[in-house]
Amino acid sequence: MPRLIDDLCAARPLRQIPFAQVQAWPQELVVIVDASPHLAPVYEDFLHIIGRLSQWFPKRLVLWLLEDAEQAEFKELRGPHIDSHNTLPAIPEHGAVLVLSDLGMAHPQPWSRCNWRQWGRKFRRHRHCPLALVPAHPADWDHVTTRDFQCAFLEREHRLQRQQPAPGSRDAAAELEALKTLLAPMGRITPALLRQARILHPHGLSVSAEIDFWSLPGFGTALNFREWQDDGEQRSFLERLAHSPSLSRLAEQLMQEHEKSLPMRLQIQQKQAFAAIRMVPLNDEQKRYLAHLHQTMHTLPPLERRFFANWMSRLEDRKGEAAWLADIEPLYRLYYEQLSPEQQRTREPPGHGKGPSWWIEVIETSEGVTVKPGVPFERSTGPEGPGCRHIVTIPALGSVMVRCYQGRRRVRQQVLKPGEDFAFSGHLTRLTIDTGQKVETVDWPTCPSWARGIGRDRYGLFVEVTVQGVEFVMRWIPPGEFMMGSPGDEPERFNDEGPQHLVQFTHGFWLAETACTQALWQAVMGENPSEFKGDELPVENVSWTDAQKFIEQANRIHPGLALRLPSEAEWEYGCRAGTSMPFWFGTELITDRANYDGRSPYADGKKGERRGKTVEVKRFQPNPWGLYQVHGNVWEWCADPWHDNYEGAPDDGRAWEKDGDSERAVLRGGSWFNLGRRLRSAFRGRDHRDFAGIIGDFGFRLARGPESPGAAGGRGRRGSQAERGTSAASATTGPARAGNEQLRGA
């Protein structure tokens, strides 16, 4: 501009006219939709995008349908006209190009990727650089294919962002194993079921896992569904599913939600397959169908009778060693009786098979031990009164052998059938349960002197503590390691959440399963500063200094309790519970899972309600380690002083005391008042240590330890076998770990 002014003042002719670049809608938008068969799981995503674009560009939208990237055949859809092309059609000079495709990078064969590289070079020669929305994880991308495109990772749970190929690799085999385990009982796997299974899986799987699963060779080649073809492989994954109570419950939920879209015979088939894990009763409609089939089977035409025989044979093949469902067995008996003697020798006789799957619960009190049928998904309330309580749930099929030991001496053994109870009066040191497939050993961890009771449930080891008549539960957080902070591509992250770094815990520790309640605060301090009143609501309007005074008073009332605030690393480790996504439950935040301002969702997610207050500390489902409401409700103080980022942070989980801001401390978890982005596992808040908040959103969670794994027992970090100890040594009080601010703004 200065040169232009000089030329005008000197009356010199203009040599260059400056132009300002402005954003404008293209005159024509060309959308290339890759409909290759392996992308069937993301067809709905593509259709959703096209639907939105057709609203914005009703007269300027041109669709090119690529039915198979390997065959390179395009169909141009312009209004009612369809033109076929054997190569990439000409791009309008003033048009823009949007590509909905994996660019062949998720295809098991290289040919489609080669074609996309060739088309990318053609785009470049014509001075076009298309935007590609790629439904494949950036770890699967390669620089050669993506260099001629502006690529953004397409996943409905993530905000669109332009990206480069991610360094490292994705464990595709592990993701496939996880999906196959969860989908083991399913009779028919549709893209909708596959999507929900992937999103709900606790390991946080990527959208690439859906495409990988759809491309597996052992599941058929139908366009809109997949089915197990290998009965042995299906039974193998059913056995894996049976040993995971949380995944079993999730699989049952998925089966019940999606069965209405299936033919009746497939509905019954998958419930029979699920009997290898647990008997799920048939609904009334399914029972009526079987009863009608039983009554009319003798009158069926030969073709339908042959179809019925094939179905029963398939049911028997997939049943494995599990027992028949009660409503199916009469029909199988009728089928079996019609077989020839030679055919009967190849089939299992009616009435065979192991009993129904059930769960065994072991409870120890000061009076003795009880073994009884249990519920794998809830912690038993158990007998009241003092003494240790140990709870463990074990999956079993049919009868089991229970053996009781005092030291090395076996004092009793008994066969236990489904539904029966077993009681032993006296103290045991060990109990074994032989399920026929393996022997489970239950060692009693000694209840620590500072706790009222101890037990195990599906989340791991826990202790019950009583202070001034108010009981609260602390969860054992096992030793392990995790990546602290957020990765650079996490939507809506802040710079103070990095650099992401590895933190290793050589010793476990205890964390309260909920934020401190008003009932506990009132019992210790004799007053209640909270804005929103209720015994089971979290205490709030509490400063860091107030929390330290509470801890000091509680430790004085209950010598040996040694409570403290968690370090920042301990807090995030417990919050994530072995996960690596923005939230322990995945990438999607909704108000059915946390208490926050649902009007401002995370990453353009679904909007929800704004409750405008705190809710009960156990309102929502706990994370995989049994901790409630680590996202939202109230901010939770940590022990660490504030640091602006993680440069120089310790890697052992202790509090970062050195060189911090001594006037401010770290807050974690977000609150009922905050936007969705501030509830992320990695988000760091900060405030002055003496500031208690003014709207009722500052609280805290108690911690204790660290302790050695042998002293506390518990399970390994990702559901590995528990390290069980015979004594609970007194914990040493440790410091805590590091922090940030930005609490309330948008």
Side-chain angles (χ1 to χ4, degrees):
M1 186 60 71
R3 186 181 302 170
L4 176 64
I5 294 173
D6 291 342
D7 288 343
L8 290 173
C9 293
R12 290 194 293 266
L14 298 180
R15 290 169 293 179
Q16 184 176 3
I17 299 176
F19 290 95
Q21 289 187 344
V22 296
Q23 291 185 339
W25 291 109
Q27 293 183 8
E28 194 168 52
L29 177 62
V30 177
V31 181
I32 302 177
V33 184
D34 190 344
S36 297
H38 73 286
L39 294 178
V42 294
Y43 284 172
E44 285 295 326
D45 299 334
F46 290 171
L47 290 174
H48 175 75
I49 293 171
I50 293 169
R52 297 293 295 271
L53 291 174
S54 63
Q55 296 174 0
W56 299 337
F57 302 93
K59 298 181 179 179
R60 293 181 287 170
L61 185 66
V62 179
L63 291 179
W64 292 353
L65 183 65
L66 180 60
E67 293 186 335
D68 192 333
E70 283 193 74
Q71 303 301 322
E73 293 183 359
F74 291 89
K75 288 187 176 179
E76 183 177 352
L77 284 68
R78 189 186 296 267
H81 305 291
I82 300 178
D83 298 323
S84 297
H85 304 270
N86 292 325
T87 184
L88 189 70
I91 308 294
E93 183 178 354
H94 300 291
V97 181
L98 173 66
V99 176
L100 304 178
S101 171
D102 65 336
L103 304 183
M105 295 181 289
H107 197 283
Q109 300 297 329
W111 313 118
S112 60
R113 184 180 305 203
C114 293
N115 284 338
W116 278 109
R117 290 178 181 177
Q118 177 183 346
W119 296 328
R121 291 192 292 270
K122 184 174 181 179
F123 283 128
R124 183 174 53 186
R125 287 196 301 270
H126 290 82
R127 301 179 181 273
H128 284 285
C129 186
L131 172 63
L133 304 186
V134 182
H137 193 277
D140 299 333
W141 300 2
D142 67 81
H143 289 279
V144 177
T145 306
T146 59
R147 65 186 176 186
D148 295 320
F149 299 88
Q150 303 176 70
C151 293
F153 179 33
L154 176 61
E155 189 169 16
R156 290 286 287 271
E157 298 77 41
H158 284 85
R159 187 175 183 178
L160 283 176
Q161 288 183 328
R162 293 182 184 177
Q163 291 184 246
Q164 297 296 323
S169 61
R170 177 179 62 88
D171 194 345
E175 290 192 344
L176 275 177
E177 295 279 301
L179 269 181
K180 289 163 80 173
T181 301
L182 184 55
L183 295 169
M186 306 308 171
R188 177 171 292 177
I189 301 162
T190 62
L193 173 59
L194 183 60
R195 170 64 53 87
Q196 190 172 5
R198 194 263 301 173
I199 291 175
L200 294 180
H201 198 286
H203 291 172
L205 311 180
S206 73
V207 68
S208 290
E210 297 180 37
I211 298 174
D212 293 342
F213 184 92
W214 208 258
S215 303
L216 287 173
F219 287 82
T221 58
L223 179 62
N224 56 351
F225 65 86
R226 291 290 184 263
E227 291 182 334
W228 290 88
Q229 304 289 317
D230 188 332
D231 297 335
E233 184 184 23
Q234 185 180 16
R235 286 196 297 269
S236 172
F237 280 99
L238 278 168
E239 290 176 7
R240 297 190 192 184
L241 184 63
H243 289 89
S244 175
S246 58
L247 281 185
S248 297
R249 181 175 65 170
L250 186 56
E252 183 179 351
Q253 173 190 335
L254 289 170
M255 182 177 69
Q256 302 281 25
E257 289 179 1
H258 288 267
E259 70 175 3
K260 290 184 179 179
S261 64
L262 298 178
M264 186 59 67
R265 294 191 181 187
L266 281 179
Q267 294 181 30
I268 296 168
Q269 179 177 310
Q270 64 184 15
K271 281 194 174 177
Q272 179 60 64
F274 201 77
I277 303 169
R278 186 170 61 259
M279 290 292 187
V280 178
L282 302 179
N283 60 37
D284 292 342
E285 188 178 359
Q286 293 162 352
K287 290 179 180 179
R288 285 195 297 269
Y289 176 82
L290 288 175
H292 175 74
L293 198 57
H294 188 272
Q295 294 172 0
T296 60
M297 198 185 81
H298 292 291
T299 62
L300 292 176
L303 184 61
E304 289 190 33
R305 190 175 299 181
R306 192 179 308 122
F307 182 78
F308 164 78
N310 290 337
W311 180 56
M312 294 305 299
S313 173
R314 187 175 182 83
L315 273 178
E316 199 268 335
D317 288 338
R318 296 196 169 187
K319 180 182 71 68
E321 296 182 346
W324 286 103
L325 291 174
D327 298 284
I328 302 179
E329 187 164 15
L331 200 60
Y332 178 74
R333 186 180 300 275
L334 195 60
Y335 157 74
Y336 183 83
E337 290 171 354
Q338 294 180 356
L339 297 176
S340 66
E342 292 78 14
Q343 291 173 323
Q344 287 182 354
R345 281 194 288 269
T346 65
R347 291 290 164 195
E348 180 184 88
H352 282 58
K354 295 185 178 179
S357 175
W358 60 302
W359 289 81
I360 301 166
E361 186 172 59
V362 182
I363 302 177
E364 182 197 23
T365 68
S366 55
E367 282 114 21
V369 176
T370 301
V371 182
K372 65 176 186 177
V375 181
F377 307 124
E378 302 294 339
R379 194 175 88 226
S380 170
T381 55
E384 295 299 327
C388 299
R389 189 172 88 222
H390 179 92
I391 299 173
V392 63
T393 49
I394 301 169
L397 289 168
S399 301
V400 299
M401 175 66 75
V402 179
R403 299 182 177 91
C404 304
Y405 296 85
Q406 290 177 340
R408 295 185 178 182
R409 186 169 66 94
R410 187 170 69 199
V411 294
R412 186 174 173 182
Q413 73 175 30
Q414 179 173 326
V415 174
L416 196 64
K417 297 179 180 178
E420 293 182 344
D421 289 0
F422 164 84
F424 179 84
S425 298
H427 176 67
L428 295 178
T429 57
R430 181 164 55 96
L431 181 145
T432 65
I433 300 175
D434 187 346
T435 66
Q437 295 179 331
K438 65 177 182 177
V439 177
E440 292 279 358
T441 300
V442 180
D443 293 313
W444 311 130
T446 301
C447 184
S449 59
W450 48 270
R452 171 182 175 272
I454 188 168
R456 281 193 185 93
D457 59 10
R458 73 184 183 102
Y459 301 111
L461 194 69
F462 64 89
V463 290
E464 294 170 342
V465 183
T466 302
V467 177
Q468 295 288 80
V470 177
E471 181 183 285
F472 65 97
V473 172
M474 300 194 81
R475 291 280 176 182
W476 173 247
I477 307 301
E481 62 184 35
F482 82 114
M483 292 300 294
M484 185 173 182
S486 61
D489 60 351
E490 183 168 299
E492 301 191 21
R493 73 183 295 272
F494 289 88
N495 291 333
D496 56 31
E497 298 165 17
Q500 199 175 24
H501 58 289
L502 182 69
V503 176
Q504 297 177 311
F505 292 89
T506 56
H507 296 79
F509 56 95
W510 300 92
L511 270 183
E513 71 174 1
T514 71
C516 178
T517 63
Q518 294 178 30
L520 182 58
W521 179 278
Q522 180 83 36
V524 172
M525 304 300 286
E527 49 85 26
N528 187 354
S530 302
E531 177 77 14
F532 310 103
K533 297 293 196 278
D535 286 350
E536 294 306 310
L537 296 178
V539 67
E540 17 86 2
N541 283 346
V542 173
S543 69
W544 184 91
T545 304
D546 294 334
Q548 296 290 4
K549 290 178 181 178
F550 169 89
I551 290 170
E552 182 180 349
Q553 178 70 3
N555 290 338
R556 185 182 301 114
I557 294 171
H558 196 316
L561 190 53
L563 297 173
R564 59 177 176 85
L565 288 177
S567 71
E568 189 182 9
E570 288 172 337
W571 191 97
E572 186 173 331
Y573 180 56
C575 169
R576 291 187 180 277
T579 66
S580 59
M581 307 297 280
F583 310 96
W584 70 258
F585 42 73
T587 58
E588 182 182 8
L589 178 65
I590 57 176
T591 51
D592 289 339
R593 291 176 175 168
N595 183 22
Y596 68 104
D597 187 350
R599 301 172 303 178
S600 302
Y602 171 66
D604 293 333
K606 180 181 178 181
K607 289 188 177 183
E609 64 179 313
R610 180 184 187 272
R611 295 180 176 91
K613 60 181 180 180
T614 58
V615 297
E616 295 80 4
V617 291
K618 293 186 179 180
R619 176 72 171 272
F620 304 108
Q621 181 184 355
N623 75 4
W625 288 349
L627 303 181
Y628 288 88
Q629 298 212 63
V630 287
H631 303 299
N633 214 25
V634 291
W635 289 98
E636 297 179 11
W637 288 106
C638 295
D640 309 59
W642 170 252
H643 295 76
D644 289 335
N645 54 49
Y646 289 139
E647 293 288 350
D651 59 3
D652 57 2
R654 58 189 166 84
W656 189 8
E657 303 283 357
K658 185 178 179 182
D659 300 329
D661 184 342
S662 60
E663 294 184 357
R664 293 183 295 177
V666 176
L667 287 151
R668 283 303 203 108
S671 80
W672 61 267
F673 182 81
N674 292 114
L675 316 183
R677 69 186 303 188
R678 297 175 190 277
L679 272 65
R680 292 176 299 111
S681 301
F683 182 79
R684 309 175 63 216
R686 65 175 181 264
D687 221 312
H688 290 273
R689 295 187 177 202
D690 294 329
F691 182 60
I694 57 175
I695 60 171
D697 63 344
F698 282 13
F700 64 97
R701 186 183 300 261
L702 295 168
R704 190 187 193 279
E707 295 179 356
S708 65
R715 59 179 180 176
R717 189 167 70 89
R718 292 184 179 271
S720 61
Q721 177 61 35
E723 291 190 59
R724 300 184 176 99
T726 57
S727 65
S730 59
T732 56
T733 304
R737 157 114 189 98
N740 167 46
E741 194 157 41
Q742 321 136 321
L743 290 183
R744 293 190 176 79

